């Protein structure tokens, strides 16, 4: 047994035993359970309510860009068929216009347009997640994981009064 002289100074100021410091009462544990359960229930309720929200109304015809603003070898991002879905309008180097959904068909990362002349030569759509590539004319996967996936979703275009309009999704080909 230690004498009073052997005890550290702080022990004189706080002469309480530490036994039971780690003891959690049943009431504390019940409080903890109620808080965690309440948090989980609230999270589930929010997910449920969000899933019940009606999907955004698809838009049939959307003005995307003025033709004069699109130089060959350039691309613009727009939203189609609804505000939540990004898409790419591309004016290829030969002047042709194409539009694709921007979501990679492998695991959903965004693709971006790259002109020819750089790494890889031909102009293409590139997904940086797993270094996938798609043909800029057809949307078919040409290298990386997309080669074994279906092509990018294609968007039909119309040109009227010098403006480019997205007018519908082309049916998917299986592949
Ligand atoms: Fe695009 Fe994997 S998500 S290549």
């Amino acid at each position: 047994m230690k004498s009073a002289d052997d005890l550290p100074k702080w022990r004189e100021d706080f002469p309480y035993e530490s036994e039971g410091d780690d003891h959690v009462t049943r009431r504390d544990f019940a409080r903890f359970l109620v808080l965690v359960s309440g948090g989980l229930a609230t999270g589930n309720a929010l997910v449920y309510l969000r899933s019940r929200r009606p999907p955004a109304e698809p838009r049939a015809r959307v003005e995307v860009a003025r033709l004069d603003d699109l130089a060959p070898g350039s691309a613009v991002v727009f939203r189609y068929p609804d505000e939540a879905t990004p898409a790419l309008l591309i004016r290829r180097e030969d002047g042709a216009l194409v539009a694709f959904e921007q979501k990679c068909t492998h695991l959903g990362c965004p693709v971006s347009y790259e002109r020819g002349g750089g790494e890889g030569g031909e102009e293409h759509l590139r997904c940086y997640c797993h270094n996938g590539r798609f043909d800029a004319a057809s949307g078919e996967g040409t290298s990386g994981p997309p080669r074994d996936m279906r092509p990018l979703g294609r968007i039909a275009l119309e040109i009227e009064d010098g403006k480019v309009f997205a007018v519908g999704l082309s049916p998917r080909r299986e592949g």
Side-chain angles (χ1 to χ4, degrees):
M1 181 94 182
K2 290 183 177 179
S3 70
D5 292 339
D6 295 336
L7 292 175
K9 174 83 174 100
W10 63 268
R11 262 283 177 220
E12 294 169 22
D13 299 331
F14 300 98
Y16 304 105
E17 291 301 321
S18 61
E19 269 176 38
D21 275 356
D22 296 333
H23 181 74
V24 178
T25 65
R26 220 178 300 175
R27 181 172 299 185
D28 288 341
F29 186 63
R31 249 186 230 139
F32 171 77
L33 283 183
V34 167
L35 276 176
V36 170
S37 303
L40 287 174
T42 306
N44 281 330
L46 290 175
V47 169
Y48 173 74
L49 289 176
R50 196 183 161 106
S51 71
R52 302 243 330 150
R53 205 169 47 186
E57 199 60 32
R59 301 169 301 169
R61 184 180 165 92
V62 172
E63 182 182 333
V64 181
R66 296 192 57 79
L67 195 52
D68 292 345
D69 297 338
L70 290 168
S74 67
V76 292
V77 176
F78 64 105
R79 309 247 161 214
Y80 194 85
D82 55 51
E83 277 300 321
T85 309
L88 274 178
L89 170 63
I90 299 165
R91 185 150 197 193
R92 290 180 17 225
E93 290 176 325
D94 64 4
L97 288 170
V98 285
F100 299 104
E101 292 175 3
Q102 202 185 12
K103 190 174 170 182
C104 177
T105 50
H106 179 220
L107 292 177
C109 291
V111 297
S112 51
Y113 171 69
E114 289 185 348
R115 317 172 49 145
E119 184 196 341
E122 296 288 301
E123 61 185 334
H124 54 263
L125 290 133
R126 175 113 171 238
C127 176
Y128 281 90
C129 282
H130 308 99
N131 201 21
R133 287 179 197 215
F134 296 86
D135 183 84
S138 66
E140 302 275 348
T142 55
S143 72
R147 212 176 22 209
D148 303 323
M149 303 285 151
R150 64 183 191 277
L152 292 170
R154 186 133 188 192
I155 296 167
L157 299 170
E158 277 178 12
I159 298 169
E160 190 180 310
D161 298 333
K163 296 174 189 164
V164 184
F165 293 87
V167 294
L169 295 173
S170 297
R172 280 196 195 283
R173 278 169 293 154
E174 296 305 317

